[in-house]
Amino acid sequence: MASQIARRLVILGAPGSGKSTIATRIVKAYGMPYIVAGDLLRQNIKQQSEESRTMKEYINKGLLIPDDLILKFLVDELEKNREQGFLLEGYPRTLNQAEMLYRQMKVDHVIAIHVPADEIINRLKDRWFHLSSGRVYNLLWRPPKEAGKDDITGEPLAQREDDKPAVIRHRLNAYNKNINPIIQFYKQLGILQDFHGRESDKIWPEVKNYLDHILKEPMNQKVAV
Ligand code: ADP
């Protein structure tokens, strides 16, 4: 097959917006490499590399890793997939990161998921985590097979202190403060597409329509999503 222009996609969405759900469906449907900043950081920390020590300090304090450090960390993974294209999640989180990434390599399309705050607050209060892998469960719609235990390892699940409504509201405000300039940046470049909704199942078909259009390649229709 003639090689297709690389599509470098970024997905943006607040914590609890269902961004990962949509991202997973995109990757399933179109088969591009999936780069998740938070997951790569967790893997790296598990391997106890030299560079991960500093980053771990920021993560443990709930702070963003400095812009130059996080890009340096991600750059190999991004470069490895430069020609093939990718879907990037969890980066950028600051305007500076967006600009640094764009200098490193052009992004083709940005998908911004917008879900109302009250919906997010409702979802997050029932969220449980398997801390070492980052696997997420939700008691309402994706409960673990055995109550309180991770499906794969059987280890105990934990709830985040900051999944309480007041704290979520605060996190969403902080997220919006950071994300708005990023959205403006991509809007000015003419590469941002907004998707609004309350349910991933309603947002997903719109994202798929959009991607079918821009990727133009026939996709695997058999994929159950
Ligand atoms: P969350 O931010 O919801 O806790 P993530 O898995 O996306 O979950 O990220 C975990 C931590 O990794 C963040 O709290 C932050 O410290 C760090 N991190 C992830 N992505 C970035 C980024 N783009 N820039 C700076 N720090 C990041």
Side-chain angles (χ1 to χ4, degrees), residues 15 19 36-39 41-42 55 58-60 62-67 70 74 89-94 97 127 129 160 162 171:
K19 157 191 62 169
V36 185
D39 288 354
L41 285 167
R42 276 182 286 274
M55 296 197 292
Y58 287 98
I59 294 175
N60 287 349
L63 298 172
L64 286 184
I65 293 161
D67 293 336
I70 181 83
L74 287 175
E89 183 188 324
Y91 188 102
R93 286 199 180 195
T94 64
Q97 287 184 9
R127 204 160 73 137
F129 286 86
R160 277 164 57 151
D162 55 359
R171 275 167 65 202

Side-chain angles (χ1 to χ4, degrees), residues 181-192:
I182 298 177
I183 286 188
Q184 286 314 317
F185 173 74
Y186 286 133
K187 240 179 209 161
Q188 272 163 18
L189 289 168
I191 58 172
L192 183 110

Side-chain angles (χ1 to χ4, degrees), residues 33-49 51-52 55 59 65 70-81 87-91 132-134:
Y34 184 23
I35 304 174
V36 185
D39 288 354
L40 286 175
L41 285 167
R42 276 182 286 274
Q43 281 165 22
N44 192 267
I45 284 168
K46 239 192 267 170
Q47 288 158 11
Q48 304 195 322
S49 70
E51 63 176 344
S52 72
M55 296 197 292
I59 294 175
I65 293 161
I70 181 83
L71 182 62
K72 212 166 126 223
F73 170 73
L74 287 175
V75 81
D76 287 350
E77 194 62 27
L78 294 168
E79 284 297 343
K80 200 173 82 191
N81 295 294
L87 175 66
L88 178 59
E89 183 188 324
Y91 188 102
S132 59
S133 71

